[in-house]
Structure formats: C-alpha cells, structure tokens
Amino acid sequence: MYVASKLPQHLGQSGWVSMLPRRTPRAPLNGTVNADVVVIGGGFAGLSAARRLSQLDTKLKVVILEAGEVAEGATGRNSGFIIDLPHEVSSEDYGGSGDDSRRHDIKVHRMAIALAQGLADEKGWGKDVFDPCGKYNVALGKQGDKHVTSYAKQLDKVNEPYRLLDAKEIAAVTGTNSFTSAIFTPGTVIIQPAAYIRGLADSFTGSVRLYENTPALSFDRNGASWQVKTPKGTVNAGKIILANNGQAQNFGLFRGQLLHVYTYASMTEAFEPKRLGGQRSWAATPAFPMGTTVRRVQGDKGDRILIRSRYTYNPRMQVSEGAIARAGRVHDKKLEARFPMLKGVPMEYRWAGAMALTWNGVPAFGEIEPGVFAAIACNGVGATKATASGIAAAEAALGMDSWLVQVFKGFAAPKRLPPQPFLTIGATANLSMKEWSAGLE
C-alpha cells in the first residue's frame, strides 16, 4: 500500500487565478466509483493525460482526482510559456554535439503544443487565454548580449527561425530602454495558465469525470485492479497515472531522486496602459540562465507586469510567507530597474510555485508497478514537459508503443541525490551561485 504522508500546500495568491471570475469547482468524490484509469493530479500532466486518453478511446472511463481546486496549485502559478525550444539561452544548454538530441526535444515540445492548440481551436479561445505569438529572450547588459548571440548561432545549426533585435528594436516592443538586445523565436505559445487549465478541466464530459478537493490518500492493489482511497470515497481502477509531480514522494515514491525547488513571482496592480509604451502584450525569458522572466499582460482594467525570479530549495515541499516576502522585495527592485516609468505602481499579488527536478534532468516516468504509470518531474518547464509527459503516460497506459512513449522510456533513470545534509548545502549553494552569476539579468 502507498499512503500519502502529507497533502499539498500552496502559499500566496496567484495573480492568474485572481484575475479570473470565480469558478464553481467540481464536487468532491463521495462514495465508490469504478474506472478504467484513475489519474492522480489535475495539473498540466494529469489533465493532458486525461485528454489524450479520451482521444484514444471515447468510451474509456477515466477519473481525475485533484487534491485542491483546479489552477490553485503549481499549474496556476506557472509563468505561462509553452515553449518549443530549450528554456535557457546558453550554448551549453543547446549546442555542441547535442544538436540531434535538441531536434528530438523540439519535436517532443511541439507535440505538447499540438495538444494545447487542438484544445484552443476546439474552445475558440482568444489571445487572452492562448496566444501563439512567440517569445523574446532579453538581455540587460553585455553578459546577456553574448548569450543572445551564442543562442542565435546554435539555432542556425538546427535550422530554427529567429529574429535578433538591438536595443532600439526591443525597446519598441517592451516600452523601456533597459534591455540591450533580444532574440525572438516564433514557436512558443503564451497562455494565461489558470484560464487554460480551468478550460481544459471544464472540457471533460461523459466518461471522463473530475473530482476536485479530493486528495488521494492511499492506493493499493486489490486483486486485478487498484483501489484509491480519498477522504470520502474510493476509486476502483484497472490502471493509475500518477501526475502529481513532487507530491509523488509523499507516497514514498522516488525518494532520494527528486529536488523540490520553488520559484517566486509578483504581479503589479493594473496600470494605465499609456504609462508604458511598446506593445501591450508580450512575454520574455532571460538571456542568462536563472535570470528574470517578464510578461506584460493586457487587461480590460489596465495592464500588469509579471516578474518571476528567485529560487529556493525546499525539501519539505513547504515555503513560508517570509520567503515570499523576501522574494517580493527582489521583484520590486527588478521591476524598478526595468521599468522606471512605472515607479510607484505596487505589486498586487505575490506567490510561490513548486517544481520537481531530478539531478540529471530527466523525468521520473514509466510503469513503476504493474498498472501504475508515473508522469513526474517537469524539471522546471512544466507547461511543456509536463504536458508531453502526460500524453506519453496516457499512451503507455493503453499499451501503445508510440514514438513519444519510446522517447520517454528511453530516458535514463533519475540519478540518486547525495545524502543530507550535503544535499541541502549543495543545492542551496548551487542556486545561490547561479542567481549571483545572473547579476542584473
């Protein structure tokens, strides 16, 4: 039997959720239900797995268990980039002898985008939810400029399109003269992550049933099937897809293999769009790894700026209000440094979001028990990699040997982490060093 030692906790109010109208969550499970597949986790991985299952077999009985309300967890705290190219701009991340591997990764990423695009087309979403507009990588000085130039050379090697922008050109986009250069890549989709995941959750009807505020407390083999216990109910299912990311460790799985890292974000109050020139909607990741992600979000009541930076290692999968406040002070400085014309515009929302990483950067994927399939460890690119992992887990659970399943099965096992206290000392020092190296970026 696998028993949860504790349930997920989320601190801080996600601005993405707060900007949306109130939503009535699906009722929690009360009683016993039977299913072909039960999906534990209602984030990118879990809901993508459920969508793929329903595409493969419309009559398949699928139950999704979400511990809280959809979008209140890590998915609704995401920055909203479904990327097709590697997330970090550095030659070490993208180049060298790994060009074939990178092409491989790009194909996986674009399969995730294809699933999301299909949903957006089906629902007729506007750009406020799903915008295939591409993204910028922005530099804030000579160090970042070098990475932008290096990245362009690596994209040339794999014949990927891009556009380089000088300081004047990126200023025309962002409305500020703070950035020194940028590179634009067209394949990224920008989403309002809370709206996207709510829309995906609310798309399920018929044989796919979602139960919110229904944490899985335990699961155990029961003859030829599995039995999942919740606070007020039971699910009997032939197969389980574990799509609860780092929370899988609370069931005793992947112990000593998952790094629990939190990243932090702040979002301003709505401001008069005339206060900031440039385009009213754009998204930028940092030119230097571990730098600062920035988005301008257009709204009916004005525009907002999202700042995401700061990383902490939290092996207990908990953060404090103090940690959010400390990160928020950093965000305030980064906002003022980039947008001096917005001086006096306060942050309205601050939050933390959990990531599960592995030492060797691979997913925790596969059939870990007969009939139990894991889609764990997004490694910091949750919207893209968790979606792809969920698709692959769904196909694997139905016995498919697709190209995507072969890819995920081909990953090495997650490398075991060093013992404590060396792990905490090393992880904390590594994150601090990378943030220090990023400097102004």
Side-chain angles (χ1 to χ4, degrees), residues 83-95 99 102 106 109-110 135-138 143-164 182-186 188 285-288:
I83 66 168
D84 60 336
L85 302 176
H87 192 54
E88 294 184 344
V89 181
S90 69
S91 57
E92 293 81 5
D93 179 71
Y94 199 74
D99 292 340
R102 294 307 178 193
I106 292 167
H109 296 174
R110 287 177 176 161
K135 74 176 179 73
Y136 299 88
N137 286 96
V138 292
Q143 183 176 235
D145 292 339
K146 290 180 180 179
H147 281 273
V148 166
T149 302
S150 174
Y151 191 33
K153 292 177 181 178
Q154 300 305 324
L155 292 180
D156 285 335
K157 291 183 179 180
V158 289
N159 297 314
E160 286 293 332
Y162 64 86
R163 180 164 57 91
L164 288 170
I183 184 170
F184 173 78
T185 50
T188 291
T285 50
F288 198 83

Side-chain angles (χ1 to χ4, degrees), residues 267-278:
M267 183 179 283
T268 68
E269 289 184 351
F271 59 84
E272 171 58 46
K274 293 180 180 179
R275 290 194 63 171
L276 181 62

Side-chain angles (χ1 to χ4, degrees), residues 13-321:
Q13 182 60 48
S14 166
W16 299 119
V17 175
S18 298
M19 288 191 297
L20 297 175
R22 291 186 64 84
R23 168 183 172 273
T24 300
R26 302 284 182 98
L29 176 62
N30 192 348
T32 300
V33 296
N34 298 317
D36 296 306
V37 182
V38 58
V39 179
I40 298 177
F44 284 120
L47 296 186
S48 298
R51 180 170 176 83
R52 184 60 179 144
L53 288 169
S54 67
Q55 289 175 336
L56 294 169
D57 186 346
T58 57
K59 296 180 180 180
L60 200 70
K61 293 181 180 179
V62 180
V63 164
I64 309 162
L65 302 178
E66 167 53 39
E69 293 184 18
V70 166
E72 293 289 349
T75 296
R77 295 157 183 269
N78 189 276
S79 293
F81 293 74
I82 312 182
I83 66 168
D84 60 336
L85 302 176
H87 192 54
E88 294 184 344
V89 181
S90 69
S91 57
E92 293 81 5
D93 179 71
Y94 199 74
S97 61
D99 292 340
D100 289 340
S101 175
R102 294 307 178 193
R103 291 189 185 93
H104 204 264
D105 292 344
I106 292 167
K107 183 176 178 180
V108 170
H109 296 174
R110 287 177 176 161
M111 293 179 78
I113 291 174
L115 180 133
Q117 181 71 65
L119 176 67
D121 293 343
E122 180 183 302
K123 296 300 178 184
W125 284 336
K127 292 183 178 181
D128 57 327
V129 178
F130 186 94
D131 189 358
C133 61
K135 74 176 179 73
Y136 299 88
N137 286 96
V138 292
L140 212 63
K142 292 182 179 180
Q143 183 176 235
D145 292 339
K146 290 180 180 179
H147 281 273
V148 166
T149 302
S150 174
Y151 191 33
K153 292 177 181 178
Q154 300 305 324
L155 292 180
D156 285 335
K157 291 183 179 180
V158 289
N159 297 314
E160 286 293 332
Y162 64 86
R163 180 164 57 91
L164 288 170
L165 294 86
D166 61 21
K168 184 177 180 180
E169 290 169 322
I170 192 59
V173 174
T174 62
T176 178
N177 294 319
S178 300
F179 301 115
T180 53
S181 68
I183 184 170
F184 173 78
T185 50
T188 291
V189 172
I190 304 301
I191 60 172
Q192 207 286 28
Y196 172 88
I197 208 66
R198 279 186 179 186
L200 177 50
D202 293 338
S203 71
F204 295 119
T205 58
S207 61
V208 180
R209 288 173 289 174
L210 167 65
Y211 298 96
E212 295 180 66
N213 295 307
T214 306
L217 301 180
S218 68
F219 59 94
D220 191 16
R221 194 77 186 173
N222 183 23
S225 63
W226 288 90
Q227 188 174 78
V228 182
K229 294 283 189 179
T230 72
K232 295 184 179 180
T234 301
V235 183
N236 296 308
K239 294 174 182 177
I240 295 174
I241 293 179
L242 282 174
N244 53 351
N245 215 19
Q247 294 299 322
Q249 183 174 296
N250 289 332
F251 285 96
L253 298 165
F254 303 109
R255 286 195 179 278
Q257 295 174 289
L258 300 180
L259 282 162
H260 304 285
V261 173
Y262 281 75
T263 185
Y264 300 82
S266 296
M267 183 179 283
T268 68
E269 289 184 351
F271 59 84
E272 171 58 46
K274 293 180 180 179
R275 290 194 63 171
L276 181 62
Q279 299 174 10
R280 291 189 60 194
S281 180
W282 51 267
T285 50
F288 198 83
M290 300 289 286
T292 303
T293 294
V294 184
R295 280 187 63 174
R296 182 173 179 176
V297 183
Q298 180 178 343
D300 295 335
K301 298 180 180 179
D303 295 358
R304 299 173 185 267
I305 296 291
L306 168 80
I307 300 287
R308 192 192 79 170
S309 69
R310 293 286 293 128
Y311 298 84
T312 59
Y313 172 60
N314 301 75
R316 294 185 177 182
M317 289 178 276
Q318 294 177 328
V319 294
S320 66
E321 295 286 0

